[in-house]
Amino acid sequence: MFANQQGASMVDASGKLQLNSQAYLNIMNFLNRVRMENLGTRAAYFSPGDLAAIDADQVAFYPWAVWAVYGADLLFKKSKGKWRAMPLPAWTKGGARGAVMGGSSFIIPKKAKNPHLAWLFYEHLVFSKEGYSAVYGPNKIYPGGINTSLPSYLPALQTQLYKNSDGLGGQNLWDVATGTVKDIPGNYYIAPWYNQAVPYFGTNVQRMLDGQMTPQQVLQKSSSDIQTKLVDRQ
């Protein structure tokens, strides 16, 4: 998320590794400063410890994707309704305040009996007003609609599809989320080995948060390991 916000990703369009870069150094320096100034919590996302800290008002800033709203709506207890969503703080003056963090994909299995019909169904859900309104709008299962993502079809963003969030004190999350779309850099690339990089990059980030590595060491070692153990083996 932080990398995409700066117009970067672990690889470029040709698949060349670009982890050891200024954008990622900015991120490591930020995380390391949070550690040194004792301003952050160390807990798995929405784990019991994380939720306890949130409901004890020990957390004030939670940079995450829009789908984190399900925590405010469904998991938070004492702090429910106190939270508000906002665009990400910019890394530089006038810089982007939006980013992607993950995404969704439709898959039609090779053995599908009628793949063309499956495609027509997906096409209806994504590109027709009736379809995307049914996906995101209020229904029996989701009375307020699904507010944990946005349609990828720009015309679908012109009309609010889900209700305001109770977890965010009735805030209009739709306006906040759709307002950042134009700000999201579009040059984000995911390498085929992306998930396999966790033992190399993620582990080193944890070591930095333990005070065992510097930001520069994290990027240098992670880049070297990923290049030799993942990229060169493709």
Side-chain angles (χ1 to χ4, degrees):
M1 178 179 67
F2 286 151
N4 173 242
Q5 186 187 355
Q6 299 178 77
S9 49
M10 290 181 71
V11 296
D12 61 17
S14 64
K16 181 180 178 181
L17 189 64
Q18 53 182 13
L19 182 61
N20 194 4
S21 62
Q22 186 59 51
Y24 277 92
L25 182 59
N26 291 339
I27 300 168
M28 295 302 106
N29 283 335
F30 167 70
L31 295 177
N32 197 41
R33 182 177 176 182
V34 170
R35 176 192 69 83
M36 291 189 298
E37 297 188 15
N38 198 29
L39 294 175
T41 60
R42 292 284 297 277
Y45 174 66
F46 286 169
S47 64
D50 193 26
L51 293 174
I54 290 170
D55 276 335
D57 294 334
Q58 295 176 353
V59 180
F61 176 53
Y62 210 109
W64 209 257
V66 66
W67 41 262
V69 70
Y70 89 87
D73 281 339
L74 303 174
L75 302 178
F76 299 177
K77 304 300 182 183
K78 295 180 181 179
S79 64
K80 181 174 181 177
K82 294 182 180 180
W83 288 85
R84 300 294 183 272
M86 60 176 277
L88 291 166
W91 288 92
T92 57
K93 186 176 181 179
R97 298 192 63 188
V100 295
M101 184 179 173
S104 302
S105 301
F106 290 130
I107 297 175
I108 300 176
K110 288 183 177 180
K111 295 183 179 180
K113 293 182 178 180
N114 196 329
H116 179 66
L117 184 61
W119 166 249
L120 290 177
F121 177 63
Y122 285 143
E123 189 176 40
H124 169 66
L125 293 180
V126 174
F127 297 113
S128 76
K129 186 173 183 178
E130 179 186 6
Y132 57 70
S133 295
V135 172
Y136 286 93
N139 55 60
K140 292 182 180 179
I141 300 177
Y142 300 99
I146 298 179
N147 62 357
T148 51
S149 66
L150 287 176
S152 57
Y153 184 48
L154 284 178
L157 304 182
Q158 302 307 310
T159 303
Q160 182 169 340
L161 298 175
Y162 50 70
K163 295 182 179 179
N164 296 345
S165 167
D166 290 337
L168 300 179
Q171 181 187 19
N172 191 323
L173 179 62
W174 178 268
D175 281 353
V176 177
T178 57
T180 66
V181 169
K182 64 182 185 303
D183 215 20
I184 298 175
N187 57 338
Y188 187 72
Y189 305 98
I190 298 180
W193 43 259
Y194 182 82
N195 289 336
Q196 296 172 273
V198 173
Y200 309 112
F201 184 33
T203 299
N204 288 332
V205 171
Q206 293 294 329
R207 287 172 177 155
M208 181 189 71
L209 296 177
D210 288 334
Q212 299 173 1
M213 297 182 75
T214 66
Q216 292 83 357
Q217 288 172 337
V218 170
L219 298 181
Q220 290 168 0
K221 180 168 176 52
S222 299
S223 294
S224 176
D225 288 346
I226 291 173
Q227 184 66 46
T228 57
K229 298 176 182 179
L230 296 178
V231 178
D232 293 343
R233 294 185 178 183
Q234 294 296 307

